[in-house]
Amino acid sequence: MSTAETQNLHPDLQQGHSSDISASHSAVVLWLYLCCAMILVMAVIGAITRLTESGLSIMEWAPLSGAIPPLSQTEWERLFSLYKTIPEYQQINRGMELEEFKSIFWWEYFHRLWGRLIGLVFAVPLAVFWIRQQLPGWIKPHLLFLLALGGLQGAIGWYMVASGFADRTDVSQYRLTLHLMMAVGIYCYIFWLALKLGANSTTGASSNALGSWSAILVAAILLTMTSGAFVAGLNAGLIYNTFPLMEGQMIPPSYSDGSPWFINSFENIAAVQFHHRVLATATGLLAIGLGLLVLLKGRSRKVRIAGVLVALASVGQVKLGIMTLLLVVPVGLAAAHQAGALIFLTTALYLLFQLKYSR
């Protein structure tokens, strides 16, 4: 690469992007993609944990000792007795046997264990790459910040779970949304860093209409995912199980029952589901339109492929959402719908990157 070409690189991409240096970073790129894959799996495990009403089964936050599961009958009895003190048991699961408690315990335990594993898979290779000087200077502060965000996410997870111990039979939809969207934000952050580090044939960031629309699509997906988190937190998918109308009406009659009016978007089940439907439909149409436009006007093969992927992902995700609703939220489909949202977001981020940084 000539000096002139190097100077034209985006500042974050200048260091370490000759072909030789880029090859030495391939292990780092693969590590970042592995972390993304593990977060995606974590989202699916979290969805199953929520859908099986397992999230309140562990009443203690022990970041280190909590990695060891119950090893004796006495310990199982102690944990079960703690669970019996909360409203979820007293109002919903009263009379549950120990074996039934174990079935929900293991989902929450695996959810927390997978979170610990993500932390190890991120922190240990980070230290190794750092010591071996395999990390370009520009990425180091980003990775340290991500390490701190991972610790914060664990604390937010406990903050969410604790909301279900006293006055309600489930966790707060506000805290659940915060926990999910924090995970999504970390996922996006890592994925974008992996794209930048792996892009050994890039020019400076460019501004164009397609790139702007792609950024709007990413924002729309994030907004739709946020609304979906409120749907999950309120179990809003268990009502109005028809599509496109909501029991024969475009807007449900109880849409504006909440007071003050703005609270409907966060606490009125009918309004929350309606908003998610509208946002999901609009986002899907935007993705299909943008994908077709990119296919026609994309300046490179990578860009056109990215456009096709976005359109296909949007169609698949909308279909999953409708099926999940019509079948009254079966666990498998609902978990696939959450995974589909992250996959859809991934294709949109990839398209945005290709439009802004590829030749």
Side-chain angles (χ1 to χ4, degrees), residues 5 21 25 32 53 72 99 104-105 108 127 137 148 157 166-167 221 237 240 243 255 258-259 304 339 342 356:
E5 287 175 322
I21 298 177
H25 291 158
L32 292 175
E53 304 292 344
S72 67
E99 290 304 314
I104 62 172
F105 174 92
E108 175 64 7
D167 301 320
I221 295 172
Y240 299 110
F243 190 87
Y255 173 83
S259 181
R304 291 192 294 273
L342 269 177
K356 293 186 72 66

Side-chain angles (χ1 to χ4, degrees), residues 83-95 166-170:
Y83 179 67
K84 289 179 179 179
T85 65
I86 65 173
E88 181 179 78
Y89 173 83
Q90 295 167 358
Q91 298 179 31
I92 298 176
N93 291 330
R94 181 176 291 275
D167 301 320
R168 52 190 300 155
T169 60
D170 54 9

Side-chain angles (χ1 to χ4, degrees), residues 142-173:
H142 293 286
L143 296 176
L144 289 177
F145 184 52
L146 278 164
L147 188 63
L149 288 179
L152 178 60
Q153 173 69 337
I156 290 173
W158 175 249
Y159 175 67
M160 175 193 69
V161 170
S163 67
F165 290 160
D167 301 320
R168 52 190 300 155
T169 60
D170 54 9
V171 300
S172 163
Q173 71 270 27

